Amino acid sequence: MKVKLLIITLALALCAPLFADDAQEADDTKPKPTPEEVAAQVESQGEALTETRNVVEILNRLKITGYIQAQFVDDERSRDQLVTGGTRNLDQFSIRRGRVKFTYQATPTSKFVIQPDITTSGVVLKDGYVELTEPWTPWHHTLTAGQFNWPFGYEIMYSSSNREVPERSRVVRTLFPGERDRGLMLSGLGLNERFSYRVAIVNGTGTASSSDLNQKKDLVARVGYNFGALDLGASGYRGQDLVATATQANGVNFDKDRLGVDFQWATPVQGLLLRGEFITGKQAPATGTTRTKSHDVDGWYFYAIQNLGTKHQLVLRMDEYDPDTDVDNNAIRTINPTYIFHWDAHSKVMASYEFIENEANDPDDNVFTLRYQFLF
Amino acid sequence: MKKLLLCIALALPVFAAKPISIKGSDTMVIMNARLAEGFMNANPGTQIQVTGGGSGVGIAALINGTTDIAASSRPIKTSETDKLKARFATTGFAIPIARDGLSIYLNEQNPVKELTLAQIRAIYTGAVTNWKQVGGKDAPIILYSRENSSGTYTYFKDNVLMGKDYAPRAQTLQGTAAVVNAVAKDANGIGYGGAAYAKGIKFAAVKKDDKSPAVLPSLETVRSGQYPISRYLYLYTRVKPAKEMKAFIDWATSPAGQEIVSKVGYFPVK
């Protein structure tokens, strides 16, 4: 039966040109269109093209970008069951980040951006802001309103899709959890695009809470200068955190200050980039504290990134965080060697090992991450 | 033995030299193709692939590692250098390969012969909309422009429009050839682009201001700086050119390469 069906299909396929010729003959008998009709058809096609162009121009204003990071993590804490909380296992496959960024450039001076993070843990809003840029000066001062990265240091504003190790350094993760806040920011670029500034007034609560916990607003700013191969930056943060203490259940405002300096240097050694940042400041104590003042903290990170051709990168990051500088032997250090293979312009594979050393008590908590990222 | 030879023959392409890729400016694509052709004729072992897409596309490809050389009709932006630095630890190398008089195209029937920079700015920002406002006939001005990934678009905006925005009614076309073609067919059209594209249109002589002489783009006027909208056309590499890439760039800037630059319609850098 199948063979017969195949033969009939083949026969029909072979005869098709014959039927096509008949159809052509039938077309030839039709009256030919007059020049006026052709002109009308061309005009109508032109109108259709103009309409299509208008639609395409509107669509061109919308840019959709994003990336997904699928990974396997082997965490020593799982082996020794050191993890607190519901599950004691951290060895798993997961989607670390699933970002889709929608940018609508309505006019050259106004922009809308929204970026959710879609993972197996749920959907979280990462960025959501509008930008207005003044067109009158070469600085192009820009006002940003909404939820955006804290303008502090280098690592916070450096996209996770470009970062050469799986996670930000411990000092940044601890002092700037979530890397974002809600507020108003003014930024600009001048002096032959060498000097940049960003200054923002923000809630100070970050994105963990949907509302601001205290009435006071925080100030954060960064200035940077580009010397060509070398970039230097200085940042400051001044604000307060409301913390419920052992004696004040409604909370007390504790100082939350940070100062930082950062650099990035494309060295004369071909393909070698060095990057680093030092942050010092005052951190509010944890909920239920008996303290009356914030304590001093500091930390730093340092990257050495060696490019080998266009496909391979060897990375070594070292970082340290001291959660209370008045207490001895409590710093946490991490050495994080990483290898990255860039498959093509969209895909890269990263293998990374974190040797974590805790001065106070050093459990087995090293982490191996194998990550695949696709970016578009 | 035959099997062995067959295996070697099949494996040869794997070990063959990787072609040098040049990607970017549509303004430069014909010139780069001619230069590549000339170099490959003189050096049969080397393969060079040339593609367009726009200066922005070429520089993006340089940043993500998918081209060896980016062709750009504008200087690289600081934001692009920052990305190159973060990814490849380099600020890039710029090699000026030609000079161009950024030309104003008019239809051959258009009685207007010269325009001041201020008039061109007023036309392209939408302040002037009729040819009679600049000494022509009573007819609407039809604006032809380039897409925003084009280096010519950016250069024209920065240096002629002084950073102001193009009038929304400017029609964006892909490639200088498309702009030339549109102006050639439209008696009321105006366009801009490289001096090498001049078929079926005429150039407007450009005046720096009311008191300056009107100047047409030519080797002398571009080289002397008399023509007010001249620019360099660049090749950008990530690292200092070496081996075949250096040989190609050295050849392109040599008298033999610069002769090709002139034949295409641009002006030599030396």
Side-chain angles (χ1 to χ4, degrees):
Chain A
M1 184 63 187
K2 278 182 184 172
V3 175
K4 280 182 185 173
L5 200 65
L6 188 67
I7 292 167
I8 292 166
T9 310
L10 280 171
L12 283 172
L14 289 168
C15 293
L18 301 175
F19 293 115
D21 284 347
D22 289 346
Q24 185 66 45
E25 278 171 26
D27 281 349
D28 288 345
T29 60
K30 279 185 182 175
K32 288 183 178 168
T34 63
E36 290 77 18
E37 284 172 332
V38 173
Q41 278 176 4
V42 170
E43 193 178 342
S44 109
Q45 290 296 324
E47 281 173 10
L49 188 65
T50 306
E51 279 176 26
T52 309
R53 186 185 287 149
N54 291 340
V55 172
V56 169
E57 273 180 17
I58 291 167
L59 288 175
N60 264 343
R61 292 178 197 157
L62 177 66
K63 194 188 287 181
I64 303 172
T65 54
Y67 60 95
I68 192 161
Q69 293 175 341
Q71 66 181 24
F72 176 75
V73 165
D74 180 274
D75 190 319
E76 282 186 347
R77 287 178 294 170
S78 307
R79 229 164 292 156
D80 295 341
Q81 304 214 316
L82 295 171
V83 184
T84 53
T87 173
R88 287 170 181 256
N89 177 47
L90 292 171
D91 294 352
Q92 59 183 335
F93 293 97
S94 63
I95 297 170
R96 178 62 184 88
R97 296 178 179 89
R99 304 281 170 86
V100 186
K101 188 175 184 179
F102 301 90
T103 305
Y104 189 79
Q105 184 87 46
T107 67
T109 55
S110 61
K111 189 162 84 175
F112 162 95
V113 175
I114 197 152
Q115 181 183 214
D117 185 33
I118 306 159
T119 67
T120 45
S121 308
V123 179
V124 177
L125 178 69
K126 284 294 176 184
D127 292 311
Y129 57 83
V130 287
E131 269 187 10
L132 279 177
T133 303
E134 59 83 13
W136 307 291
T137 73
W139 284 78
H140 295 302
H141 302 284
T142 299
L143 194 66
T144 306
Q147 181 171 305
F148 46 81
N149 282 116
W150 274 300
F152 190 104
Y154 191 91
E155 210 180 42
I156 290 174
M157 290 184 284
Y158 192 47
S159 168
S160 295
S161 64
N162 295 327
R163 197 177 50 251
E164 298 83 2
V165 291
E167 304 301 333
R168 289 181 173 83
S169 55
R170 191 174 302 271
V171 59
V172 168
R173 291 201 311 260
T174 309
L175 300 183
F176 298 93
E179 306 96 37
R180 289 163 176 85
D181 207 338
R182 300 170 196 121
L184 198 63
M185 178 166 68
L186 188 68
S187 59
L189 187 65
L191 307 179
N192 289 326
E193 298 192 349
R194 288 191 176 275
F195 176 80
S196 64
Y197 80 89
R198 289 164 189 255
V199 56
I201 180 166
V202 294
N203 285 340
T205 317
T207 54
S209 168
S210 59
S211 56
D212 192 1
L213 301 178
N214 64 5
Q215 207 176 12
K216 294 176 186 294
K217 301 294 168 255
D218 296 1
L219 274 173
V220 55
R222 180 182 187 271
V223 289
Y225 197 85
N226 178 345
F227 292 92
L230 177 68
D231 293 297
L232 293 179
S235 308
Y237 186 107
R238 189 159 184 81
Q240 291 191 315
D241 259 347
L242 186 73
V243 178
T245 66
T247 54
Q248 295 273 353
N250 287 337
V252 174
N253 277 315
F254 286 86
D255 285 343
K256 185 168 84 170
D257 300 338
R258 289 98 171 83
L259 280 173
V261 286
D262 60 88
F263 80 96
Q264 182 174 249
W265 182 33
T267 68
V269 177
Q270 189 168 311
L272 178 64
L273 184 90
L274 303 179
R275 185 188 298 146
E277 186 169 356
F278 174 76
I279 303 170
T280 182
K282 288 187 183 302
Q283 176 79 331
T287 304
T289 184
T290 54
R291 292 185 184 219
T292 54
K293 289 200 301 188
S294 293
H295 54 282
D296 292 332
V297 296
D298 66 31
W300 55 267
Y301 65 78
F302 175 78
Y303 286 73
I305 303 158
Q306 179 64 59
N307 287 274
L308 302 169
T310 56
K311 297 277 187 190
H312 310 275
Q313 283 183 302
L314 291 176
V315 185
L316 182 68
R317 186 184 67 187
M318 292 177 282
D319 74 73
E320 183 180 298
Y321 175 60
D322 187 340
D324 191 339
T325 56
D326 293 332
V327 178
D328 290 335
N329 298 324
N330 65 341
I332 305 166
R333 273 183 286 276
T334 308
I335 298 174
N336 190 181
T338 300
Y339 165 72
I340 303 168
F341 175 66
H342 293 264
W343 177 266
D344 57 25
H346 302 286
S347 298
K348 68 177 177 183
V349 178
M350 172 189 286
S352 181
Y353 198 87
E354 287 178 81
F355 295 96
I356 302 166
E357 184 199 348
N358 192 322
E359 279 183 347
N361 164 32
D362 194 18
D364 289 339
D365 55 358
N366 295 345
V367 180
F368 170 72
T369 305
L370 183 64
R371 176 181 290 177
Y372 168 73
Q373 174 181 291
F374 184 92
L375 174 128
F376 66 96
Chain B
M1 186 61 185
K2 278 182 183 172
K3 281 181 185 172
L4 184 66
L5 285 172
L6 184 67
C7 285
I8 292 169
L10 288 171
L12 273 177
V14 177
F15 298 104
K18 196 176 151 245
I20 297 169
S21 56
I22 305 175
K23 190 178 181 69
S25 169
D26 287 319
T27 301
M28 297 167 67
V29 75
I30 294 173
M31 178 180 74
N32 290 337
R34 298 275 187 281
L35 286 170
E37 201 179 302
F39 183 75
M40 286 189 290
N41 285 340
N43 302 270
T46 310
Q47 287 290 313
I48 302 175
Q49 291 173 346
V50 178
T51 49
S55 301
V57 173
I59 292 173
L62 193 74
I63 292 166
N64 66 32
T66 53
T67 189
D68 300 309
I69 300 173
S72 179
S73 59
R74 60 164 172 82
I76 193 168
K77 296 175 188 171
T78 305
S79 57
E80 292 165 334
T81 310
D82 287 347
K83 286 178 189 167
L84 198 58
K85 198 191 305 176
R87 172 65 182 85
F88 286 109
T90 173
T91 50
F93 287 80
I95 302 110
I97 203 85
R99 287 193 80 167
D100 179 26
L102 188 58
S103 309
I104 306 300
Y105 308 140
L106 299 177
N107 186 279
E108 284 178 333
Q109 292 170 8
N110 194 325
V112 173
K113 288 180 181 164
E114 56 188 50
L115 292 166
T116 65
L117 281 176
Q119 285 173 324
I120 298 167
R121 191 177 312 130
I123 288 171
Y124 267 96
T125 53
V128 165
T129 56
N130 194 297
W131 281 113
K132 72 176 178 185
Q133 292 172 274
V134 290
K137 59 189 177 182
D138 185 7
I141 300 174
I142 309 299
L143 303 175
Y144 295 103
S145 180
R146 295 288 311 281
E147 70 278 30
N148 60 12
S149 61
S150 152
T152 306
Y153 169 99
T154 307
Y155 188 89
F156 192 79
K157 185 179 174 186
D158 291 346
N159 295 278
V160 180
L161 307 190
M162 307 312 285
K164 290 184 178 175
D165 290 320
Y166 288 86
R169 61 192 177 80
Q171 295 184 38
T172 54
L173 299 171
Q174 198 161 11
T176 309
V179 174
V180 168
N181 193 35
V183 175
K185 289 177 180 167
D186 188 342
N188 299 321
I190 182 170
Y192 61 87
Y197 294 78
K199 284 177 186 168
I201 48 98
K202 68 175 184 182
F203 292 146
V206 178
K207 296 167 76 171
K208 204 170 182 178
D209 51 49
D210 287 338
K211 293 169 189 168
S212 306
V215 183
L216 283 166
S218 69
L219 176 60
E220 291 72 30
T221 60
V222 167
R223 192 175 265 177
S224 67
Q226 278 180 287
Y227 186 72
I229 348 175
S230 70
R231 59 177 174 171
Y232 280 103
L233 303 177
Y234 300 93
L235 296 181
Y236 281 97
T237 60
R238 275 183 294 276
V239 293
K240 197 173 178 185
K243 297 178 183 173
E244 287 97 343
M245 213 190 294
K246 182 177 185 306
F248 169 67
I249 287 168
D250 285 349
W251 185 83
T253 50
S254 73
Q258 293 293 293
E259 194 183 326
I260 289 177
V261 166
S262 301
K263 275 184 187 165
V264 173
Y266 294 113
F267 310 114
V269 280
K270 290 174 183 168

